[in-house]
Amino acid sequence: MINVSIDIGSTWTKGAVFEVGDNDHIEVKNCALSPTTPHHLAEGFFTVLNRILNVDDARPLLESGKIKLDYSSSAKGGLAVAAIGLVPSITLESAKVTAHSAGAKVSQHFAYNLNKADLRALEATPPDILLFTGGTDGGDCAHGLANAKLLAKSNLDCAIIYAGNRDLQDEVQDLLGDKDLTIVDNVLPSLDNPSPLGARSAICDIFLHKIVKGKGLDVIVEQTGEEPLPTPYSVFELVEQIRRHVVGWETFMLIDMGGATTDIYSANQNSLAPDTVMHGLPEPIVKRTVEGDLGMRVSAITAGETGAPLIAHYFSHQESKIAAFHHYLKHLVANPGYLPRTDEERIFDQLLAGICVGYAAERHAGKKVQVCTCAGNVDLQVGRDLNPIKKVIGTGGWLSRANDFDIHHWLKYRDLDDDGKQVLLPSQFEYYRDTQGLLPLLANVARRFPKAAAQTSVQILNK
Protein backbone atom coordinates (compact mmCIF):
# COMPACT_ATOMS: atom_id res chain seq x y z
CA MET A 1 0.00 0.00 0.00
CA ILE A 2 1.33 3.44 -0.99
CA ASN A 3 0.57 6.08 1.66
CA VAL A 4 0.03 9.51 0.12
CA SER A 5 -0.70 12.80 1.87
CA ILE A 6 -1.58 16.11 0.17
CA ASP A 7 -2.38 19.51 1.62
CA ILE A 8 -4.04 22.21 -0.50
CA GLY A 9 -2.95 25.55 0.92
CA SER A 10 -3.95 29.06 -0.07
CA THR A 11 -0.68 29.56 -2.01
CA TRP A 12 0.93 26.14 -2.45
CA THR A 13 -0.33 22.57 -2.78
CA LYS A 14 2.09 20.12 -1.16
CA GLY A 15 2.28 16.34 -1.25
CA ALA A 16 4.42 13.43 -0.07
CA VAL A 17 4.65 9.65 -0.24
CA PHE A 18 5.25 8.05 3.17
CA GLU A 19 6.37 4.62 4.26
CA VAL A 20 5.23 3.62 7.74
CA GLY A 21 7.68 1.39 9.63
CA ASP A 22 7.18 -0.89 12.60
CA ASN A 23 9.18 1.33 14.97
CA ASP A 24 6.80 4.30 15.17
CA HIS A 25 8.67 6.11 12.41
CA ILE A 26 7.41 7.41 9.08
CA GLU A 27 9.90 7.80 6.22
CA VAL A 28 9.38 10.35 3.46
CA LYS A 29 9.92 8.67 0.11
CA ASN A 30 9.11 11.54 -2.23
CA CYS A 31 7.61 15.01 -1.96
CA ALA A 32 6.61 17.83 -4.29
CA LEU A 33 4.74 21.12 -4.37
CA SER A 34 2.97 23.19 -6.97
CA PRO A 35 1.17 26.53 -6.92
CA THR A 36 -2.42 26.15 -5.77
CA THR A 37 -4.88 26.68 -8.61
CA PRO A 38 -7.67 28.62 -6.84
CA HIS A 39 -9.92 28.69 -9.93
CA HIS A 40 -10.02 24.87 -9.86
CA LEU A 41 -8.22 23.18 -6.98
CA ALA A 42 -8.19 19.80 -8.71
CA GLU A 43 -5.60 20.98 -11.25
CA GLY A 44 -2.91 21.71 -8.66
CA PHE A 45 -3.92 18.66 -6.63
CA PHE A 46 -3.43 16.17 -9.46
CA THR A 47 -0.25 17.92 -10.60
CA VAL A 48 1.28 17.22 -7.19
CA LEU A 49 -0.14 13.71 -6.99
CA ASN A 50 1.37 12.79 -10.37
CA ARG A 51 4.76 14.25 -9.39
CA ILE A 52 5.12 12.41 -6.09
CA LEU A 53 4.10 9.13 -7.73
CA ASN A 54 6.29 9.76 -10.82
CA VAL A 55 3.45 9.03 -13.23
CA ASP A 56 1.63 10.92 -15.95
CA ASP A 57 -1.80 10.08 -14.55
CA ALA A 58 -2.34 8.74 -11.02
CA ARG A 59 -6.02 7.96 -11.51
CA PRO A 60 -5.50 4.30 -12.54
CA LEU A 61 -3.43 3.74 -9.37
CA LEU A 62 -6.20 5.28 -7.30
CA GLU A 63 -8.80 3.07 -8.96
CA SER A 64 -6.68 -0.05 -8.35
CA GLY A 65 -6.73 0.54 -4.60
CA LYS A 66 -2.92 0.57 -4.35
CA ILE A 67 -2.91 4.09 -2.89
CA LYS A 68 -4.15 5.16 0.52
CA LEU A 69 -4.79 8.89 0.22
CA ASP A 70 -5.21 11.38 3.08
CA TYR A 71 -5.60 15.04 2.18
CA SER A 72 -6.66 18.37 3.60
CA SER A 73 -7.49 21.83 2.36
CA SER A 74 -7.33 25.39 3.60
CA ALA A 75 -7.47 26.91 0.14
CA LYS A 76 -10.73 28.75 0.76
CA GLY A 77 -8.75 30.95 3.17
CA GLY A 78 -10.33 29.20 6.13
CA LEU A 79 -13.75 27.85 6.98
CA ALA A 80 -15.69 30.98 8.03
CA VAL A 81 -17.87 30.61 11.11
CA ALA A 82 -19.95 33.35 12.73
CA ALA A 83 -20.46 32.74 16.45
CA ILE A 84 -23.40 33.86 18.57
CA GLY A 85 -23.17 33.54 22.33
CA LEU A 86 -24.54 35.07 25.49
CA VAL A 87 -21.86 36.42 27.85
CA PRO A 88 -18.72 37.33 25.84
CA SER A 89 -16.27 35.73 28.28
CA ILE A 90 -18.34 32.56 28.79
CA THR A 91 -20.63 31.05 26.16
CA LEU A 92 -19.38 33.24 23.31
CA GLU A 93 -15.80 32.32 24.18
CA SER A 94 -16.82 28.64 24.24
CA ALA A 95 -18.29 29.02 20.76
CA LYS A 96 -15.10 30.63 19.44
CA VAL A 97 -12.87 27.94 20.98
CA THR A 98 -15.11 25.23 19.50
CA ALA A 99 -14.99 26.77 16.02
CA HIS A 100 -11.22 27.18 16.12
CA SER A 101 -10.65 23.60 17.28
CA ALA A 102 -12.74 22.36 14.34
CA GLY A 103 -10.46 24.10 11.86
CA ALA A 104 -12.59 27.18 11.29
CA LYS A 105 -11.91 30.88 11.56
CA VAL A 106 -14.39 33.08 13.41
CA SER A 107 -15.33 35.73 10.86
CA GLN A 108 -17.93 37.49 13.06
CA HIS A 109 -19.05 37.15 16.66
CA PHE A 110 -21.99 38.52 18.63
CA ALA A 111 -23.01 38.50 22.28
CA TYR A 112 -26.38 38.91 24.03
CA ASN A 113 -29.27 39.93 21.71
CA LEU A 114 -28.72 40.33 17.99
CA ASN A 115 -29.97 43.62 16.60
CA LYS A 116 -30.93 44.59 13.06
CA ALA A 117 -27.47 45.94 12.31
CA ASP A 118 -25.95 42.59 13.35
CA LEU A 119 -28.36 40.79 11.08
CA ARG A 120 -27.55 43.06 8.15
CA ALA A 121 -23.85 42.38 8.70
CA LEU A 122 -24.49 38.62 8.62
CA GLU A 123 -26.62 38.86 5.48
CA ALA A 124 -24.10 41.11 3.73
CA THR A 125 -21.18 38.74 4.34
CA PRO A 126 -22.72 35.36 5.14
CA PRO A 127 -20.41 32.87 6.84
CA ASP A 128 -20.10 29.25 5.80
CA ILE A 129 -21.62 28.27 9.15
CA LEU A 130 -23.46 30.12 11.91
CA LEU A 131 -22.63 28.60 15.31
CA PHE A 132 -25.59 29.55 17.52
CA THR A 133 -24.85 29.12 21.24
CA GLY A 134 -25.90 30.76 24.47
CA GLY A 135 -26.89 29.81 27.98
CA THR A 136 -26.01 26.81 30.11
CA ASP A 137 -28.56 23.98 30.24
CA GLY A 138 -31.44 25.18 32.40
CA GLY A 139 -30.11 28.74 32.30
CA ASP A 140 -31.08 31.87 30.39
CA CYS A 141 -33.59 31.32 27.57
CA ALA A 142 -34.69 34.85 26.75
CA HIS A 143 -31.65 35.89 24.70
CA GLY A 144 -31.50 32.64 22.73
CA LEU A 145 -35.20 32.74 21.93
CA ALA A 146 -35.01 36.36 20.79
CA ASN A 147 -32.06 35.56 18.54
CA ALA A 148 -33.83 32.52 17.06
CA LYS A 149 -36.88 34.62 16.22
CA LEU A 150 -34.75 37.29 14.53
CA LEU A 151 -32.81 34.68 12.53
CA ALA A 152 -36.07 33.05 11.43
CA LYS A 153 -37.16 36.32 9.81
CA SER A 154 -33.80 36.90 8.14
CA ASN A 155 -32.61 36.15 4.62
CA LEU A 156 -29.46 34.50 5.95
CA ASP A 157 -28.60 31.51 3.76
CA CYS A 158 -25.97 29.37 5.44
CA ALA A 159 -25.71 26.26 7.58
CA ILE A 160 -26.78 26.89 11.19
CA ILE A 161 -25.60 24.77 14.11
CA TYR A 162 -27.53 25.24 17.34
CA ALA A 163 -25.35 24.29 20.32
CA GLY A 164 -26.90 26.29 23.14
CA ASN A 165 -29.23 25.78 26.09
CA ARG A 166 -30.96 22.41 25.59
CA ASP A 167 -34.19 23.84 27.02
CA LEU A 168 -34.55 25.83 23.78
CA GLN A 169 -33.94 23.01 21.30
CA ASP A 170 -37.64 22.47 20.49
CA GLU A 171 -38.31 26.20 20.02
CA VAL A 172 -35.22 26.57 17.82
CA GLN A 173 -36.33 23.62 15.70
CA ASP A 174 -39.79 25.14 15.27
CA LEU A 175 -38.43 28.58 14.38
CA LEU A 176 -35.45 27.61 12.20
CA GLY A 177 -36.49 24.20 10.88
CA ASP A 178 -37.00 25.61 7.38
CA LYS A 179 -33.35 26.65 7.23
CA ASP A 180 -30.27 24.41 7.01
CA LEU A 181 -30.32 23.62 10.74
CA THR A 182 -28.36 21.09 12.80
CA ILE A 183 -28.98 20.74 16.55
CA VAL A 184 -26.23 19.30 18.76
CA ASP A 185 -25.36 19.21 22.45
CA ASN A 186 -24.69 22.47 24.26
CA VAL A 187 -21.05 23.60 24.02
CA LEU A 188 -21.33 24.72 27.66
CA PRO A 189 -23.91 22.62 29.53
CA SER A 190 -22.55 23.97 32.82
CA LEU A 191 -19.97 26.62 33.68
CA ASP A 192 -17.34 24.07 34.68
CA ASN A 193 -18.07 21.55 31.94
CA PRO A 194 -17.31 22.67 28.35
CA SER A 195 -18.52 20.12 25.79
CA PRO A 196 -17.35 21.11 22.28
CA LEU A 197 -17.28 17.69 20.59
CA GLY A 198 -20.82 17.71 19.18
CA ALA A 199 -20.42 21.13 17.57
CA ARG A 200 -16.91 20.29 16.35
CA SER A 201 -18.17 17.15 14.63
CA ALA A 202 -21.05 19.06 13.04
CA ILE A 203 -18.70 21.76 11.69
CA CYS A 204 -16.43 19.13 10.13
CA ASP A 205 -19.41 17.21 8.72
CA ILE A 206 -20.76 20.35 7.05
CA PHE A 207 -17.32 21.08 5.62
CA LEU A 208 -17.07 17.56 4.20
CA HIS A 209 -20.51 17.24 2.69
CA LYS A 210 -21.47 20.76 1.64
CA ILE A 211 -18.61 23.24 1.49
CA VAL A 212 -16.25 21.03 -0.52
CA LYS A 213 -18.65 21.37 -3.45
CA GLY A 214 -16.81 24.30 -4.95
CA LYS A 215 -13.66 25.31 -6.79
CA GLY A 216 -12.90 21.73 -7.78
CA LEU A 217 -12.84 20.06 -4.38
CA ASP A 218 -15.92 18.07 -5.35
CA VAL A 219 -14.03 16.84 -8.44
CA ILE A 220 -11.19 15.61 -6.21
CA VAL A 221 -13.67 13.80 -3.97
CA GLU A 222 -15.34 12.17 -6.98
CA GLN A 223 -12.10 11.03 -8.62
CA THR A 224 -10.26 9.87 -5.49
CA GLY A 225 -13.14 8.48 -3.45
CA GLU A 226 -11.75 10.30 -0.41
CA GLU A 227 -12.95 13.41 1.40
CA PRO A 228 -10.70 16.17 2.76
CA LEU A 229 -10.56 17.68 6.21
CA PRO A 230 -9.83 21.34 6.99
CA THR A 231 -6.04 21.61 7.33
CA PRO A 232 -6.22 23.36 10.72
CA TYR A 233 -8.37 20.55 12.13
CA SER A 234 -5.76 17.98 11.08
CA VAL A 235 -2.94 20.05 12.59
CA PHE A 236 -4.96 20.53 15.80
CA GLU A 237 -5.25 16.75 16.12
CA LEU A 238 -1.51 16.35 15.42
CA VAL A 239 -0.67 18.78 18.24
CA GLU A 240 -2.80 16.63 20.54
CA GLN A 241 -1.01 13.47 19.42
CA ILE A 242 2.45 15.03 19.95
CA ARG A 243 1.42 16.10 23.45
CA ARG A 244 0.25 12.57 24.23
CA HIS A 245 2.92 10.44 22.60
CA VAL A 246 6.24 12.34 22.64
CA VAL A 247 8.12 12.59 25.94
CA GLY A 248 9.23 16.14 26.68
CA TRP A 249 6.63 17.68 24.37
CA GLU A 250 3.69 17.80 26.76
CA THR A 251 3.90 21.60 26.59
CA PHE A 252 4.71 23.55 23.40
CA MET A 253 3.49 26.09 20.85
CA LEU A 254 3.15 25.73 17.09
CA ILE A 255 2.94 28.73 14.78
CA ASP A 256 1.58 27.99 11.30
CA MET A 257 1.97 31.10 9.18
CA GLY A 258 0.41 30.82 5.73
CA GLY A 259 -0.43 33.14 2.90
CA ALA A 260 -3.96 33.86 4.14
CA THR A 261 -3.94 33.26 7.91
CA THR A 262 -1.65 32.80 10.89
CA ASP A 263 -2.71 29.97 13.17
CA ILE A 264 -1.35 29.52 16.68
CA TYR A 265 -1.64 26.23 18.56
CA SER A 266 -0.61 25.70 22.17
CA ALA A 267 -0.54 22.61 24.37
CA ASN A 268 -0.37 23.74 27.96
CA GLN A 269 -2.07 23.18 31.29
CA ASN A 270 -3.89 26.11 32.87
CA SER A 271 -1.81 27.59 35.69
CA LEU A 272 -1.94 30.59 38.00
CA ALA A 273 0.91 32.47 39.62
CA PRO A 274 0.60 33.36 43.33
CA ASP A 275 -1.90 36.16 44.12
CA THR A 276 -3.56 35.66 40.71
CA VAL A 277 -7.28 35.12 40.17
CA MET A 278 -8.73 33.57 36.99
CA HIS A 279 -11.52 35.43 35.22
CA GLY A 280 -13.66 33.57 32.69
CA LEU A 281 -13.58 29.95 31.60
CA PRO A 282 -10.56 27.65 31.89
CA GLU A 283 -9.14 26.92 28.46
CA PRO A 284 -8.69 23.46 26.88
CA ILE A 285 -5.26 21.86 27.13
CA VAL A 286 -4.86 22.15 23.35
CA LYS A 287 -5.98 25.50 21.97
CA ARG A 288 -6.01 26.98 18.49
CA THR A 289 -6.62 30.52 17.34
CA VAL A 290 -6.64 31.75 13.75
CA GLU A 291 -6.13 35.29 12.51
CA GLY A 292 -7.65 35.92 9.10
CA ASP A 293 -6.13 39.41 8.81
CA LEU A 294 -2.56 38.16 9.26
CA GLY A 295 -1.00 36.33 6.32
CA MET A 296 2.18 36.55 4.26
CA ARG A 297 0.59 36.90 0.82
CA VAL A 298 -3.21 36.78 0.35
CA SER A 299 -3.77 38.79 3.56
CA ALA A 300 -0.66 40.98 3.33
CA ILE A 301 -2.57 44.28 2.95
CA THR A 302 -4.79 43.65 5.98
CA ALA A 303 -1.72 42.56 7.95
CA GLY A 304 -0.12 45.91 7.10
CA GLU A 305 -3.24 47.73 8.30
CA THR A 306 -3.29 45.74 11.54
CA GLY A 307 0.40 46.35 12.15
CA ALA A 308 0.41 50.07 11.30
CA PRO A 309 1.72 51.18 14.75
CA LEU A 310 4.50 48.60 14.63
CA ILE A 311 5.43 49.61 11.05
CA ALA A 312 5.66 53.30 12.03
CA HIS A 313 7.91 52.39 14.95
CA TYR A 314 10.06 50.03 12.88
CA PHE A 315 10.81 52.67 10.23
CA SER A 316 11.01 55.55 12.74
CA HIS A 317 8.34 57.43 10.75
CA GLN A 318 10.32 57.36 7.49
CA GLU A 319 7.36 58.06 5.24
CA SER A 320 9.08 56.93 2.05
CA LYS A 321 9.97 53.56 3.58
CA ILE A 322 6.45 53.11 4.93
CA ALA A 323 4.99 53.91 1.49
CA ALA A 324 7.40 51.47 -0.20
CA PHE A 325 6.47 48.78 2.31
CA HIS A 326 2.73 49.16 1.64
CA HIS A 327 3.40 49.14 -2.11
CA TYR A 328 5.23 45.84 -1.61
CA LEU A 329 2.23 44.42 0.27
CA LYS A 330 -0.07 45.28 -2.66
CA HIS A 331 2.34 43.54 -5.00
CA LEU A 332 2.26 40.39 -2.81
CA VAL A 333 -1.54 40.24 -2.82
CA ALA A 334 -1.57 40.52 -6.62
CA ASN A 335 1.24 37.92 -6.93
CA PRO A 336 0.89 35.40 -4.05
CA GLY A 337 3.72 33.20 -5.29
CA TYR A 338 6.24 36.03 -5.32
CA LEU A 339 9.55 35.66 -3.44
CA PRO A 340 11.70 38.69 -2.47
CA ARG A 341 14.54 39.51 -4.86
CA THR A 342 16.29 42.50 -3.26
CA ASP A 343 17.67 43.23 0.20
CA GLU A 344 14.90 45.77 0.76
CA GLU A 345 12.21 43.23 -0.14
CA ARG A 346 13.77 40.70 2.21
CA ILE A 347 13.61 43.29 5.01
CA PHE A 348 9.97 43.95 4.14
CA ASP A 349 9.22 40.22 4.27
CA GLN A 350 10.87 39.97 7.70
CA LEU A 351 8.75 42.83 9.00
CA LEU A 352 5.56 41.35 7.56
CA ALA A 353 6.37 38.01 9.21
CA GLY A 354 7.06 39.81 12.50
CA ILE A 355 3.66 41.50 12.34
CA CYS A 356 1.92 38.17 11.71
CA VAL A 357 3.76 36.33 14.47
CA GLY A 358 3.61 39.16 17.00
CA TYR A 359 -0.05 40.07 16.71
CA ALA A 360 -1.28 36.48 16.31
CA ALA A 361 0.66 35.29 19.36
CA GLU A 362 -0.53 38.24 21.46
CA ARG A 363 -4.15 37.50 20.59
CA HIS A 364 -3.65 33.83 21.45
CA ALA A 365 -2.07 34.39 24.84
CA GLY A 366 -3.68 35.14 28.17
CA LYS A 367 -3.53 38.60 29.72
CA LYS A 368 -3.05 39.80 33.28
CA VAL A 369 -3.85 43.10 34.98
CA GLN A 370 -3.63 44.19 38.62
CA VAL A 371 -6.88 45.14 40.32
CA CYS A 372 -7.64 46.50 43.77
CA THR A 373 -9.97 44.49 46.02
CA CYS A 374 -11.04 44.72 49.65
CA ALA A 375 -8.42 42.05 50.39
CA GLY A 376 -5.67 44.04 48.69
CA ASN A 377 -4.20 44.08 45.20
CA VAL A 378 -4.51 40.91 43.13
CA ASP A 379 -3.64 40.01 39.54
CA LEU A 380 -6.67 39.23 37.37
CA GLN A 381 -5.87 36.75 34.59
CA VAL A 382 -7.94 36.15 31.47
CA GLY A 383 -6.87 33.23 29.32
CA ARG A 384 -3.84 31.03 29.75
CA ASP A 385 -0.34 31.80 30.96
CA LEU A 386 2.07 30.55 28.29
CA ASN A 387 5.25 31.51 30.16
CA PRO A 388 5.96 27.85 31.07
CA ILE A 389 6.31 26.93 27.39
CA LYS A 390 9.92 26.16 26.46
CA LYS A 391 9.48 24.80 22.92
CA VAL A 392 8.07 26.63 19.88
CA ILE A 393 7.65 25.22 16.36
CA GLY A 394 7.47 27.34 13.22
CA THR A 395 5.80 25.94 10.10
CA GLY A 396 4.13 27.23 6.95
CA GLY A 397 5.97 28.16 3.77
CA TRP A 398 7.71 31.30 4.98
CA LEU A 399 8.65 30.15 8.49
CA SER A 400 9.82 26.80 7.12
CA ARG A 401 12.29 28.56 4.80
CA ALA A 402 13.44 31.46 7.01
CA ASN A 403 16.65 30.44 8.77
CA ASP A 404 17.53 33.99 9.90
CA PHE A 405 14.18 35.12 11.35
CA ASP A 406 14.51 36.28 14.97
CA ILE A 407 11.30 34.79 16.32
CA HIS A 408 12.39 35.43 19.93
CA HIS A 409 12.11 39.15 19.24
CA TRP A 410 8.77 39.04 17.46
CA LEU A 411 6.92 36.43 19.50
CA LYS A 412 6.82 38.81 22.43
CA TYR A 413 7.56 42.14 20.85
CA ARG A 414 6.08 43.99 23.84
CA ASP A 415 5.23 43.13 27.45
CA LEU A 416 2.00 45.14 27.69
CA ASP A 417 -0.87 45.36 25.21
CA ASP A 418 -2.72 48.53 24.22
CA ASP A 419 -4.87 48.31 27.37
CA GLY A 420 -1.86 48.05 29.67
CA LYS A 421 -2.37 44.33 30.35
CA GLN A 422 0.59 41.99 30.68
CA VAL A 423 0.87 39.59 27.73
CA LEU A 424 1.49 36.06 29.03
CA LEU A 425 3.77 34.69 26.29
CA PRO A 426 6.98 32.69 26.69
CA SER A 427 10.20 34.69 26.74
CA GLN A 428 12.74 31.86 26.92
CA PHE A 429 12.27 28.92 24.60
CA GLU A 430 13.92 26.69 22.02
CA TYR A 431 12.80 27.33 18.46
CA TYR A 432 12.31 24.47 15.99
CA ARG A 433 11.53 24.81 12.28
CA ASP A 434 9.62 22.47 10.03
CA THR A 435 12.16 23.11 7.27
CA GLN A 436 10.63 20.59 4.88
CA GLY A 437 7.04 21.79 5.37
CA LEU A 438 5.96 18.28 6.32
CA LEU A 439 3.83 18.88 9.41
CA PRO A 440 0.49 19.42 7.58
CA LEU A 441 1.18 16.25 5.58
CA LEU A 442 2.07 14.25 8.69
CA ALA A 443 -1.07 15.64 10.31
CA ASN A 444 -3.13 13.91 7.61
CA VAL A 445 -1.29 10.62 8.18
CA ALA A 446 -1.88 10.98 11.93
CA ARG A 447 -5.53 10.13 11.37
CA ARG A 448 -4.40 6.49 10.84
CA PHE A 449 -0.97 6.39 12.52
CA PRO A 450 -1.19 8.82 15.47
CA LYS A 451 1.89 7.72 17.45
CA ALA A 452 4.15 7.30 14.41
CA ALA A 453 3.10 10.66 12.98
CA ALA A 454 3.68 12.38 16.33
CA GLN A 455 7.15 10.85 16.79
CA THR A 456 8.21 11.61 13.21
CA SER A 457 6.89 15.21 13.43
CA VAL A 458 9.34 15.97 16.23
CA GLN A 459 12.21 14.07 14.60
CA ILE A 460 12.07 16.05 11.33
CA LEU A 461 12.31 19.45 13.07
CA ASN A 462 15.50 21.54 12.89
CA LYS A 463 16.68 24.04 15.49
Side-chain angles (χ1 to χ4, degrees):
M1 180 68 69
I2 304 171
N3 294 288
V4 171
S5 176
I6 293 180
D7 178 58
I8 308 169
S10 59
T11 306
W12 297 97
T13 295
K14 304 167 287 292
V17 176
F18 293 106
E19 184 175 290
V20 183
D22 297 328
N23 57 347
D24 292 328
H25 179 73
I26 296 174
E27 183 179 353
V28 181
K29 289 298 185 180
N30 197 12
C31 56
L33 77 164
S34 180
T36 292
T37 47
H39 63 283
H40 193 66
L41 299 176
E43 292 181 14
F45 176 91
F46 283 106
T47 296
V48 169
L49 183 61
N50 293 340
R51 285 179 183 172
I52 59 178
L53 294 173
N54 295 315
V55 296
D56 294 329
D57 186 359
R59 291 172 180 81
L61 281 174
L62 288 168
E63 294 170 359
S64 71
K66 295 179 180 179
I67 294 175
K68 178 55 184 174
L69 172 68
D70 297 291
Y71 70 105
S72 54
S73 174
S74 59
K76 288 176 84 277
L79 183 63
V81 170
I84 300 175
L86 185 52
V87 180
S89 62
I90 302 178
T91 49
L92 177 57
E93 187 62 25
S94 291
K96 292 164 68 176
V97 169
T98 299
H100 286 149
S101 67
K105 66 177 181 181
V106 177
S107 56
Q108 298 158 288
H109 53 87
F110 308 92
Y112 304 113
N113 279 7
L114 290 171
N115 58 34
K116 292 181 179 179
D118 297 333
L119 206 58
R120 286 195 295 270
L122 282 168
E123 291 173 339
T125 55
D128 296 313
I129 299 170
L130 176 66
L131 181 56
F132 181 4
T133 72
T136 55
D137 288 345
D140 179 271
C141 287
H143 291 84
L145 186 58
N147 288 336
K149 289 178 178 177
L150 198 60
L151 289 169
K153 298 175 182 177
S154 74
N155 296 319
L156 186 65
D157 184 19
C158 70
I160 299 175
I161 298 172
Y162 178 73
N165 187 344
R166 70 181 301 274
D167 292 359
L168 275 179
Q169 287 181 352
D170 290 341
E171 286 88 346
V172 169
Q173 179 64 51
D174 290 342
L175 289 165
L176 300 177
D178 291 337
K179 294 184 180 290
D180 184 4
L181 175 68
T182 303
I183 294 179
V184 298
D185 292 340
N186 194 348
V187 296
L188 192 69
S190 62
L191 289 178
D192 59 351
N193 185 33
S195 181
L197 293 182
R200 277 181 62 187
S201 297
I203 291 171
C204 290
D205 186 65
I206 290 170
F207 171 82
L208 287 174
H209 296 106
K210 298 175 184 177
I211 296 172
V212 297
K213 297 182 185 301
K215 295 189 176 180
L217 271 177
D218 53 339
V219 174
I220 299 173
V221 173
E222 179 184 348
Q223 297 192 12
T224 65
E226 300 289 342
E227 296 177 322
L229 281 179
T231 302
Y233 177 84
S234 292
V235 176
F236 182 91
E237 293 295 315
L238 178 63
V239 170
E240 175 65 31
Q241 298 305 330
I242 292 173
R243 183 189 73 82
R244 288 185 179 183
H245 293 297
V246 185
V247 176
W249 285 82
E250 297 82 6
T251 298
F252 69 100
M253 283 181 67
L254 186 148
I255 303 172
D256 184 2
M257 189 171 69
T261 68
T262 298
D263 296 10
I264 308 284
Y265 304 78
S266 62
N268 188 42
Q269 297 279 357
N270 290 287
S271 62
L272 292 173
D275 299 321
T276 300
V277 176
M278 174 65 74
H279 178 67
L281 293 174
E283 294 185 340
I285 294 176
V286 177
K287 174 186 175 182
R288 169 185 176 257
T289 52
V290 55
E291 308 303 336
D293 61 331
L294 300 172
M296 287 297 293
R297 291 301 181 259
V298 177
S299 302
I301 291 176
T302 54
E305 293 169 352
T306 299
L310 198 154
I311 296 165
H313 175 76
Y314 188 87
F315 288 120
S316 300
H317 302 286
Q318 301 174 57
E319 296 302 326
S320 60
K321 283 286 187 182
I322 294 173
F325 177 66
H326 284 288
H327 178 76
Y328 179 67
L329 300 185
K330 292 178 182 178
H331 178 73
L332 294 181
V333 172
N335 305 274
Y338 184 80
L339 297 176
R341 298 172 183 172
T342 67
D343 289 342
E344 182 179 64
E345 289 180 343
R346 281 184 277 273
I347 291 172
F348 288 167
D349 248 24
Q350 294 265 344
L351 175 57
L352 177 58
I355 291 169
C356 293
V357 167
Y359 280 89
E362 183 173 290
R363 294 172 185 175
H364 181 89
K367 311 291 190 300
K368 185 188 290 186
V369 64
Q370 193 170 83
V371 296
C372 182
T373 71
C374 58
N377 291 340
V378 298
D379 288 331
L380 187 67
Q381 179 176 318
V382 177
R384 188 163 49 187
D385 186 354
L386 300 180
N387 272 299
I389 286 179
K390 303 301 179 186
K391 292 182 173 73
V392 175
I393 300 172
T395 187
W398 198 93
L399 285 179
S400 293
R401 293 191 304 269
N403 57 10
D404 58 349
F405 179 61
D406 185 5
I407 199 164
H408 289 81
H409 170 74
W410 292 108
L411 184 64
K412 192 175 182 179
Y413 71 98
R414 59 180 180 177
D415 292 325
L416 303 178
D417 67 9
D418 292 333
D419 298 320
K421 296 177 181 178
Q422 182 183 355
V423 182
L424 302 177
L425 280 165
S427 54
Q428 296 182 340
F429 56 87
E430 294 180 304
Y431 180 51
Y432 301 81
R433 282 191 302 128
D434 172 24
T435 54
Q436 301 174 74
L438 292 177
L439 287 186
L441 301 175
L442 286 165
N444 294 335
V445 179
R447 295 160 64 180
R448 293 183 293 117
F449 306 100
K451 187 175 181 180
Q455 297 278 9
T456 304
S457 294
V458 171
Q459 292 166 3
I460 57 98
L461 299 175
N462 289 326
K463 284 190 178 182

